[in-house]
Amino acid sequence: MENAQVWIDKAIDFTVEYGPKVLGAILIFIIGSWVIKKIMGFMRKGMAKSKYDESLQRFLLNLISWALKVVLILVVISQLGVNVTTFAAVIAAAGLAVGLALQGSLSNFAGGVLIMIFKPYRIGDLIEAQDVLGVVKEIEIFTTKLTTPENKLAIIPNGAMANGNIINYTAEGKIRVDTVIGVGYDEDIKKTKEVLMEVLTSNPQVLKDPAPSVNVMELADSSVNFAVRPFCKPEDYWDVYFATYEGCKLALDKAGIEIPYPHEVQINK
């Protein structure tokens, strides 16, 4: 009974000494979380009204959210009576160790910052980078996500994106579609050019400025090859690409212009 009374007294003393601090820390955490949520909501609305770039919005909001949460945790720890200075030193030491272990991740973070600042591409742009062609779906702190023409999701580290070559097909607002059409050597070049040009000019997705072009590109082994080059909007690229090949084949057939195919000659001795 005496031992039980001792433990009860200690429990009461502990509750009296630390109870208010624990309750205060819990209240601070609840109120702080609510305040952070409100702040992020106001910032999200403010950025939307200011027409910030969507990728930059996400990046800044994530960064600010994490920073506010770290501050809140430090305040809660301070309320519990822990020396924040000592705790910060421990965090700094741990951060150094983690940083050395995660150099690649820090490189990706730095790459993400550079992408946000210099904006080589934006969400919705058609780009080619790291041997991947796709539309930018999302730019995160550490990675960039692309949707490929096959509807696959490609996730590329931002460190590689920032340090590698990037081809942005959307930035200029217009893109050239390069196709090659071959006809027989006996066909009339002028008539062939007129037929192929009619295919391009009759397609409403082909831009008038810059004007499409049809030119003799190569005198190949069994055909005269024409460079058929329409311009279009980046989002219409594949539609124009496929329509050009199909339209040229149908138009040449209708005009009676031969499209040659490889011939194999067998010589018997």
Side-chain angles (χ1 to χ4, degrees):
M1 291 295 293
E2 292 181 359
N3 290 335
Q5 185 62 42
V6 170
W7 283 107
I8 291 172
D9 293 339
K10 287 183 177 180
I12 293 173
D13 293 339
F14 181 85
T15 302
V16 171
E17 183 176 358
Y18 293 102
K21 293 182 179 179
V22 173
L23 290 175
I26 293 173
L27 286 174
I28 290 173
F29 180 79
I30 294 173
I31 295 172
S33 298
W34 180 82
V35 171
I36 290 174
K37 184 178 180 180
K38 290 296 182 181
I39 291 174
M40 298 309 300
F42 286 131
M43 293 194 66
R44 192 174 290 106
K45 291 180 181 178
M47 288 184 178
K49 289 181 179 179
S50 300
K51 297 182 180 180
Y52 274 77
D53 180 69
E54 185 178 353
S55 56
L56 182 60
Q57 283 187 43
R58 295 183 183 180
F59 182 84
L60 290 177
L61 289 172
N62 285 333
L63 195 62
I64 294 170
S65 177
W66 279 107
L68 291 175
K69 288 176 181 177
V70 169
V71 172
L72 176 59
I73 290 172
L74 291 176
V75 172
V76 170
I77 291 173
S78 175
Q79 173 63 26
L80 291 173
V82 179
N83 190 332
V84 177
T85 305
T86 304
F87 188 77
V90 172
I91 291 178
L96 178 61
V98 172
L100 292 174
L102 301 175
Q103 292 185 28
S105 297
L106 292 177
S107 173
N108 293 331
F109 176 81
V113 173
L114 291 175
I115 290 170
M116 295 300 170
I117 294 174
F118 295 106
K119 297 184 179 64
Y121 53 84
R122 302 169 186 267
I123 292 175
D125 285 359
L126 174 65
I127 69 169
E128 183 177 352
Q130 301 299 308
D131 297 325
V132 178
L133 174 69
V135 176
V136 179
K137 179 180 181 181
E138 193 170 353
I139 304 173
E140 298 181 336
I141 295 177
F142 297 103
T143 61
T144 293
K145 295 181 179 179
L146 305 181
T147 303
T148 69
E150 301 85 6
N151 202 34
K152 298 177 181 178
L153 179 64
I155 303 174
I156 306 175
N158 282 338
M161 295 292 284
N163 294 316
N165 295 328
I166 299 172
I167 301 175
N168 191 325
Y169 294 102
T170 304
E172 298 300 321
K174 303 172 184 178
I175 185 171
R176 191 179 74 186
V177 181
D178 291 347
T179 59
V180 179
I181 304 294
V183 302
Y185 269 92
D186 294 333
E187 304 301 334
D188 184 274
I189 290 180
K190 184 177 179 181
K191 180 181 178 182
T192 302
K193 291 180 68 174
E194 291 175 353
V195 170
L196 296 178
M197 182 60 76
E198 175 62 24
V199 173
L200 302 183
T201 55
S202 62
N203 188 340
Q205 292 181 308
V206 173
L207 298 176
K208 293 181 174 57
D209 182 24
S213 64
V214 177
N215 297 289
V216 175
M217 184 181 73
E218 180 185 18
L219 301 178
D221 293 337
S222 59
S223 65
V224 178
N225 291 336
F226 288 80
V228 181
R229 295 175 173 176
F231 284 84
C232 67
K233 296 179 180 179
E235 59 268 25
D236 296 332
Y237 179 86
W238 290 113
D239 290 340
V240 173
Y241 179 88
F242 294 124
T244 299
Y245 272 114
E246 181 178 343
C248 288
K249 175 65 169 67
L250 294 173
L252 292 174
D253 288 346
K254 184 177 181 181
I257 298 174
E258 179 192 5
I259 298 177
Y261 52 88
H263 293 76
E264 182 176 323
V265 178
Q266 184 174 353
I267 300 176
N268 295 320
K269 292 185 178 180

